[in-house]
Structure formats: structure tokens, C-alpha cells
Amino acid sequence: MQPLTQISASAVPGLIARPGTGAHRRPAAPAPVSPEINYASLILAQLRRHPAQPCLVWPAADGSTSQHTSHDLLQRIATHRQQLLAAGVRPGHSVLLALPVSAELIAGLLAVQALGAVPVLPPAGASAWQLLQLTRCLGIRAVLTGPAASPLVRLAAGLCGVQLLAAVDRPLAAAVEGWEAWPVPAQQPALVSHSSGSTGQPKAIRRSHAVLQAQHAAIKAAFPPWQGQRDFPLFPNVLLHNLAAGVVSVLPAVPWHNLRQLNPARIVEQLQTEQIQTLTGNVAYFTALLAHLQQQPVALPHVVAVGVGGSPVPEPLAQQLRQAFGQAAVHIIYGSSEAEPIAVRQVTDDVPDPLAGYCVGPIQAGLEWRFELLGVLQGRATPGQPVGELWVRGAHVAAPSGEWLRTGDYGYVADGLLYLTGRQGNEQLHHGVQHYQLEHLLYHLPGVERAAARADAAGFTVFVQGTVPPASVAQLLAEQFPQVPVLGIQARATLPIDARHHSKILYSQLR
């Protein structure tokens, strides 16, 4: 079968295929024998190479900070490794990490990895039932928890008969030398985390040691690190990358259990006092930070690069980041836990048309990509443009060997740039338009804090959060999308969002 449309880009060429046909799907080749590696070995080597160098700066609730050198972290890893060994944890065993976001969590994760076991991070805000299901489904052998385990964790461990290991709250005199990360098959899971659940229940994401190494290499190629770099990471994968790259990670003082309660004044203070040079975050995080900076502007001359992702990024937010961080290059980073990054775009004065969807830049070199055809866009900015679900595969994609990862995102590539126009579960076209195109337009309207267009059988129902009058929303949509059926416009005090990024709309919960 011939592809309906062939598209070229700086990455490996992609294609549009008819839905359900599997057009141009390559047959899976016999799986080669995996070499034995361990992602933790990269981090251990880096820590041992520079034992006196700070690697983590962690804020405390009282406003103080604790600085951890490479040697400090190595001691904590060695302590947890010794504890896990004594408990009988061996290569291939799964260990649930029920620790708060802290240096102990990082040390525990790396200790589990170093043993060749599989660290499992629970979903954000997991209930007792979810923890119980997790221990059963993933064959959890042990749960590493804090000195005072929560009742939920104790309940899940007791019901499933798994070992409950209270993490030692200070490093012991465990040897930091004389042992190495245990080599395991490259395709063995190195980390199990969970999706945000924006299109349903959070799903387990298994990244192998090979994939983690490839993701580290891909991030390093997109954003080359330098000696002494001081980074301010919000995303866990960036923190692991930093440890492998020798970058100092200064953790933002955020309430990790609920990012909506963050104090932006404290974040700005950290950016100044810690002389942060690079930072990443999601839309909710930067929205709160920008609101504070607009009220109390400060100079942040040390910041040279800003990355924003985790959900669709409205262009007005990206442009505001350029203004707030005047010396910094601002990048929109598109990807997922399974494939990070997929595309990167530097934000400039050349502002893309919001009617075209969200422009996220060129697809990264080394990724194979294709679109499973949904239909054809007919909007003013995209007449006759085929649109479909984006599928990717490559070394830094967590998918079975030779298989495609279905991203759940709909869009197209034009002039070498990837545009996102819709999300799985809400992807229905109406007069050749998808919901992201309406939403991105509305984010350019003053007074819109959040916007969502739910696709029903007859058209779109639009929900807005903010001070914008519904009449202004109706007028703008009628002007720019005159043929698109808008069934109603609903003003809401809040819109349902995911528990992880607090940025992704939960369309199934819109009422």
C-alpha cells in the first residue's frame, strides 16, 4: 500500500497512513541478545570522579537549604544498597519507592538501580487501593519508605505481604568504593513511573536501561551541559540526567504533593540567591512564576536558558517568559516519559499562527515518525492539511523493540515543524478543525486563564476559566472559525486538570 502523503523533515521521514491498516509498519525483527548495562553506572562514575563537587542543593520547609556533595550522595546510595541487600533484594526484583520527594528518594532510587533491581514510583496522589493494585500488578518485593510510613503504605504492604523497609534517615559508614552497579540486560526496566492520566487512569511507563541512557544522550545533544552548570529542574528525568552529566541540581522549593500551593516568591528568591543558570518547568509552574514577576519584577541575569513543557504551551506564555528572562533562550520542549524529547523549538519573535495549533518545533534527529491518518484540516491556517496521530520510535523511545509508540497526540508537520492539533479521547474533527486550534486561539484573548473545547458529535462545547466575558469568546471564535459549530460557551471557576503537571485538561470530566 502506498502512503497517502509523504512528508520530509530534518528527522527521519515520516508518513501519513490510513487508520487501522498498519501501512508501512515494518515487521518486528528477531530481538538481538541484549548487552548487559546499568544506567546507574553513569551516575556512580560521575559522582566518584568529582567527590567534593556539589551535586544536589535541597530546600527545607523552614527556608534553609542542604547541600549534598557527590560523596554525600554516594554514602546515602551505599547505605540504602546495604539495607536492600540485607533484605534480600536482588537483580530483577521490583521495589516500590514510597518516599517523599527528597535526597533520600534519589539515593534510594539509585541504590535499587545499582542492585539491578527495578525502582517503581507510584502515581501522583495514589490512593491505598492504587498502591495495593500496583504491588500486585508489578510483583513488588519490597517497599522502601520513610522512618514513619503512612497508613496507606502500611495497608498496601500488609495486604500484599511485601517487605516494608524504613529508609535510614542518615547515611551510615557504608563503603562508597569497592562495588559497582550490577550489569543487567539492556532491555530490563531501569525505572517504572506513571503517566499523568490525562486520558484515563495513570499507566505504568517502563523505561529500560538502554532507553534511559539514550534519553540522557538525546537531552545532552539538545541542551549541551557545561562544567559548573547550576540547573533548577522540576522534572525527575532532568534530575537523573543532571547527575549523569555532572550538572548541579538546585531543587525548587515547591510542595511536591500539590504544585498548586507553591510560593512563587520563594522560587524567585532561589533563582537569585542560588544564581540559577538554567531551569525547566511546566505551564502551571511558570504561570504562577510569571504572575509574581509581573507584580514584582526582578532582574535574573544569571538565567541563560528556560525550558517549558509537560503539556501544550500557549504562545503568549512562551513570549512572556522571554520578557521575564531577558538574557535567556526560551525553549518549548515536547515529549513524554516514554520519549523525551520528541521536538524542541526555540521561541523567537517569529510567532506562529495560533489557528494552526501548537508549534513545538522540528522533530529530533534520530527519531522515526509517522502519522496515522484521521482526516484533513480545513481551517483558515491549514487548508487541505492531512492530520493524524503521531507515532514515533527510536533508541530513546520506551516501546518494544521495533514497535511504534502511539503518542496520543494529533497533528502534522509543515515546513519541517511539528504542530499539535488534538489529544486522544477528544480528537474528533468538526469542519476540519480540532480542539487545540480553538483553545490556542483563546489563550491569546486577555482574561483567559484556561480554555478547553470538548468535541461532541455535533460540535464543540467551550469551557473557559478566567475573567473573560463569554461574549468575547463567542465573537473571537465566530470571526476566526466561522464554519465550526460551537454548541455553547461555559464559564467555570476552575477546569479539571491532571494531578501530575496540573496543566493538562481532563476532557472526560468537563461538565
Side-chain angles (χ1 to χ4, degrees), residues 3 118 191 258 261 310 322 347 365 400 424 441 465 479 508-509:
V118 183
L191 178 62
N258 188 352
Q261 297 177 1
R322 289 183 67 212
V347 182
Q424 182 183 12
L441 172 66
Q465 173 185 327
E479 289 173 352
S508 62
Q509 296 182 22

Side-chain angles (χ1 to χ4, degrees), residues 24 97 113 117 122-123 145 168 195 269 321-322 350 446 505:
H24 290 258
L97 300 174
Q113 265 190 1
T145 183
V168 180
S195 67
E269 180 186 3
L321 285 171
R322 289 183 67 212
D350 187 10
I505 300 292

Side-chain angles (χ1 to χ4, degrees), residues 355 380 438-439 441-443 445-446 448 451-453 460-464 467-491:
L355 304 185
R380 188 177 303 171
L438 274 64
E439 294 166 9
L441 172 66
L442 294 181
Y443 277 114
L445 193 61
V448 173
F460 294 103
T461 301
V462 176
F463 298 81
V464 290
T467 59
V468 62
S472 299
V473 173
Q475 180 180 349
L476 182 62
L477 292 175
E479 289 173 352
Q480 300 299 327
F481 292 105
Q483 303 301 318
V484 174
V486 176
L487 308 179
I489 297 171
Q490 306 289 332

Side-chain angles (χ1 to χ4, degrees), residues 52-93:
Q53 177 178 300
C55 61
L56 291 176
V57 179
W58 215 286
D62 61 4
S64 64
T65 58
S66 57
Q67 180 169 284
H68 304 273
T69 65
S70 296
H71 184 266
D72 293 336
L73 185 57
L74 275 169
Q75 276 202 313
R76 290 175 182 272
I77 295 168
T79 297
H80 291 307
R81 175 181 175 274
Q82 186 172 298
Q83 181 184 21
L84 291 163
L85 274 173
V89 174
R90 296 294 183 265
H93 290 181

Side-chain angles (χ1 to χ4, degrees), residues 101 218 321 358:
V101 179
L321 285 171
Y358 293 98

Side-chain angles (χ1 to χ4, degrees), residues 266-288:
R266 177 87 189 277
I267 302 297
V268 172
E269 180 186 3
Q270 283 184 283
L271 292 174
Q272 292 177 295
T273 59
E274 297 290 349
Q275 298 188 354
I276 300 301
Q277 296 167 303
T278 55
L279 67 156
T280 50
N282 58 33
V283 169
Y285 173 79
F286 279 122
T287 297

Side-chain angles (χ1 to χ4, degrees), residues 33 48 53 68 105 139 149 175 197 212 227 264 303 311 315 335 352 363 371 378 380 400 410-411 429 443 472 487 500:
V33 177
R48 286 169 173 157
Q53 177 178 300
H68 304 273
L105 173 63
L212 274 187
Q227 186 67 33
V303 178
S311 68
E315 190 67 24
I363 295 176
F371 293 95
Q378 297 296 347
R380 188 177 303 171
Y410 288 77
L429 285 160
Y443 277 114
S472 299
L487 308 179
R500 180 182 172 198

